[in-house]
Amino acid sequence: MKQKVFFIAILMMALAIPQRVKADDFVFSAVAPSGQTLYYQIVDGNARVSPPYPSSGYNGCSKPTGNLIIPSSVSYGGQSYSITSIGYYAFNGCSGLTSVTIPNSVTSIWDGAFSGCSGLTSITIPNSVTSIWDGAFSGCSGLTSITIPNSVTSIRNNTFSGCSSLTSVTIPNSVTSIEGSAFGGCSGLTSIFVSSGNTIYDSRDNCNAIIETSSNTLIVGCMNTTIPNSVTSIGGSAFSGRSGLTSITIPNTVTSIGYSAFNGCSGLTTVSIPNSVTSIGDNAFSSCTGLTSVTIPNSVTSIGSSAFYGCSGLTSVSIGNSVTSIGSSAFSGCTGLTSISVTSGNTIYDSRNNCNAIIHTATNKLITGCQNTLIPNSVTSIRGSAFSGCSGLTSITIPNSVTSIEGYAFSDCAGLTTVNFNAASCTDMVWTSNIFSNCTSLSTINFGNSVTRIPAYLCYGLSGLTSVTIGNSVTSIRDDAFYGCSGLTSVTIPNSVTSIGSSAFSNCSGLVSVTIPNSVTSIGSSAFSN
């Protein structure tokens, strides 16, 4: 009898314990005052709002919708716990939520807590909250305004990124830390104000921007920003994603433009870079599709990687005589670029013979080209991504002075149809080069008599390639040289060739005729498979 009573007692205790949704994450549920089922974890003696499966979100469980009121406490196992935080990705992707009221007990809103809540139009953040973490409200595209309470001390990366309907932001005097991309992609932002009394940031002269007072760095701007004359630098991601910004005047007090400062400002048509600017950071103007011309002043010494990447409206670029460093892919994806020049007097770069390209003088390396580039005979190498995304380029002749071409040099040149290849050695064409990657229109390659070997992977996967002429100085065709060139129907290999590498013509499914001369002494494995 005692055993039976003991068993019943154990069973009743088991039934009283909330079910674990997942064995390694102790989560329990309770109904909120507004009627939705919410999930919680007990952390350090307090309750944290959580997704039902902390490691994988809602995973099939119903997401809360409508107007949500989060309670200040929740009961579990006969004990009441104060709700002090909204946990990691607690409401991630709950697009049906329209409004949220957060209780005064909450002190922190964690990473991605409300990310992707696209239907959210209203949220009340209480004065108890001191920190809002990375991406907490990212992708809340329905939010039009938000009041950050005077208790918040830090706003982290991407906190409000992608809140495209957000028009106004007020920063209270308690905030001491704002990370650069906190408001990235807030394309509708028209008004920014920092409360008086904030000792770290200000909005001097009603500039509609956030300025770090001690360094005079503008860290967040909007489409109505007027940059004050006292600003000395534009911080990283300061105007990122402000597609409504059409023009901006940078005063001559500014000495640096930070990484991604104007990234994605697709409506920007006019910008004047003053002579005071000495550096332009990585991705500073990338994807500014409305720029039509850029003059880099003589004061600028460095241009960061991808600084003007994807500026499809850009037609001309002039590089000042003080530029000593140009990062990789600085002008890649500038599909309309027709004119490139380097100011005479520059000791590091030149545009010799009016070649419409930027050449590193000491090494004779071509680092940036455009659709009108004529590669001079003095060029010995072509940098990776030099012509990347140059869709207006239709043909190119590579002279016999060239000894190396780096990876992706002509990638995504969608209009390129003909390459005349006279380069003699090209020893730096490595296995993963993909020099002509995604050149979907490339149909003809002529290997001139200066070419001694056809490098590995040179034409890898060029399905549109229909014609190949191999000059009589070629002695070897390397591994995978024409792998996957399914448009090739016939190839004539000259008597100079002695070796054909492994998979050299593998998967050339349209190839019906190949002439192999007696001079060939070795053919690699799978050279003509499939």
Side-chain angles (χ1 to χ4, degrees):
M1 183 65 179
K2 287 183 179 180
Q3 287 182 337
K4 184 175 182 181
V5 171
F6 178 74
F7 174 76
I8 292 173
I10 294 295
L11 179 61
M12 291 177 69
M13 288 174 64
L15 291 173
I17 296 174
Q19 183 182 5
R20 292 178 185 233
V21 176
K22 196 175 181 183
D24 58 346
D25 293 312
F26 197 79
V27 177
F28 64 96
S29 64
V31 177
S34 47
Q36 299 92 340
T37 297
L38 299 184
Y39 300 87
Y40 304 91
Q41 291 175 294
I42 303 301
V43 180
D44 297 329
N46 294 303
R48 174 184 294 170
V49 183
S50 165
Y53 297 89
S55 60
S56 58
Y58 279 84
N59 197 22
C61 295
S62 296
K63 297 179 180 181
T65 60
N67 302 319
L68 173 64
I69 299 174
I70 299 173
S72 59
S73 63
V74 64
S75 294
Y76 167 70
Q79 185 174 344
S80 180
Y81 294 90
S82 179
I83 298 173
T84 59
S85 62
I86 312 295
Y88 300 95
Y89 301 96
F91 298 99
N92 175 44
C94 294
S95 57
L97 279 179
T98 54
S99 71
V100 176
T101 300
I102 299 172
N104 283 319
S105 58
V106 170
T107 59
S108 60
I109 300 173
W110 288 87
D111 305 53
F114 295 93
S115 60
C117 293
S118 56
L120 192 61
T121 58
S122 172
I123 189 159
T124 302
I125 302 174
N127 285 323
S128 56
V129 172
T130 59
S131 59
I132 303 174
W133 290 78
D134 297 21
F137 296 95
S138 64
C140 291
S141 55
L143 280 177
T144 57
S145 65
I146 192 150
T147 300
I148 300 169
N150 210 24
S151 54
V152 171
T153 59
S154 64
I155 303 173
R156 301 291 294 271
N157 273 328
N158 301 309
T159 298
F160 298 99
S161 67
C163 293
S164 54
S165 297
L166 193 63
T167 58
S168 65
V169 171
T170 298
I171 304 297
N173 56 29
S174 59
V175 172
T176 59
S177 174
I178 302 173
E179 297 188 0
S181 57
F183 297 93
C186 294
S187 56
L189 204 55
T190 58
S191 172
I192 302 176
F193 178 72
V194 178
S195 299
S196 60
N198 190 306
T199 59
I200 306 299
Y201 304 105
D202 66 80
S203 291
R204 64 192 69 169
D205 306 328
N206 297 314
C207 61
N208 274 309
I210 302 172
I211 299 170
E212 188 178 59
T213 305
S214 62
S215 66
N216 292 312
T217 299
L218 190 152
I219 64 168
V220 179
C222 68
M223 66 176 72
N224 289 337
T225 293
T226 300
I227 303 176
N229 286 325
S230 53
V231 168
T232 58
S233 62
I234 300 173
S237 302
F239 292 87
S240 179
R242 307 291 190 268
S243 57
L245 184 69
T246 56
S247 67
I248 194 76
T249 299
I250 302 174
N252 57 16
T253 53
V254 172
T255 59
S256 64
I257 300 173
Y259 66 90
S260 299
F262 295 92
N263 170 44
C265 293
S266 56
L268 189 62
T269 57
T270 304
V271 63
S272 178
I273 302 173
N275 284 322
S276 57
V277 173
T278 59
S279 65
I280 300 173
D282 296 355
N283 294 290
F285 293 93
S286 63
S287 300
C288 290
T289 54
L291 285 170
T292 55
S293 66
V294 169
T295 298
I296 308 296
N298 288 332
S299 57
V300 172
T301 59
S302 65
I303 301 172
S305 298
S306 303
F308 295 90
Y309 182 93
C311 293
S312 56
L314 192 61
T315 58
S316 66
V317 171
S318 177
I319 305 296
N321 59 26
S322 297
V323 173
T324 59
S325 172
I326 300 175
S328 61
S329 303
F331 298 94
S332 292
C334 296
T335 56
L337 198 57
T338 58
S339 172
I340 302 176
S341 64
V342 178
T343 304
S344 61
N346 190 306
T347 59
I348 305 299
Y349 302 104
D350 67 79
S351 290
R352 65 193 67 168
N353 306 333
N354 297 316
C355 61
N356 277 308
I358 302 172
I359 299 168
H360 187 258
T361 305
T363 61
N364 292 310
K365 175 182 281 190
L366 189 152
I367 65 167
T368 300
C370 69
Q371 60 184 274
N372 290 335
T373 295
L374 295 174
I375 303 176
N377 283 323
S378 53
V379 168
T380 58
S381 61
I382 300 173
R383 186 163 79 172
S385 302
F387 293 85
S388 179
C390 188
S391 59
L393 183 69
T394 58
S395 66
I396 194 76
T397 297
I398 300 173
N400 57 18
S401 57
V402 173
T403 59
S404 69
I405 301 177
E406 295 175 1
Y408 299 94
F410 296 91
S411 65
D412 298 297
C413 291
L416 185 63
T417 61
T418 304
V419 174
N420 297 308
F421 209 90
N422 293 324
S425 178
C426 291
T427 56
D428 289 346
M429 289 187 186
V430 295
W431 283 66
T432 56
S433 285
N434 293 309
I435 292 165
F436 299 107
S437 174
N438 293 323
C439 291
T440 53
S441 299
L442 185 54
S443 60
T444 302
I445 295 183
N446 299 314
F447 294 97
N449 289 330
S450 298
V451 179
T452 58
R453 66 173 182 170
I454 299 176
Y457 278 77
L458 177 64
C459 304
Y460 186 90
L462 292 177
S463 58
L465 190 65
T466 58
S467 174
V468 171
T469 301
I470 301 175
N472 56 20
S473 295
V474 173
T475 59
S476 66
I477 300 172
R478 298 292 298 279
D479 299 351
D480 299 275
F482 296 95
Y483 182 100
C485 293
S486 57
L488 278 180
T489 57
S490 65
V491 174
T492 299
I493 299 172
N495 288 323
S496 55
V497 173
T498 59
S499 66
I500 299 172
S502 299
S503 300
F505 294 91
S506 178
N507 287 332
C508 292
S509 56
L511 195 60
V512 295
S513 173
V514 179
T515 301
I516 302 174
N518 290 330
S519 58
V520 174
T521 57
S522 68
I523 299 177
S525 62
S526 302
F528 296 93
S529 66
N530 299 318

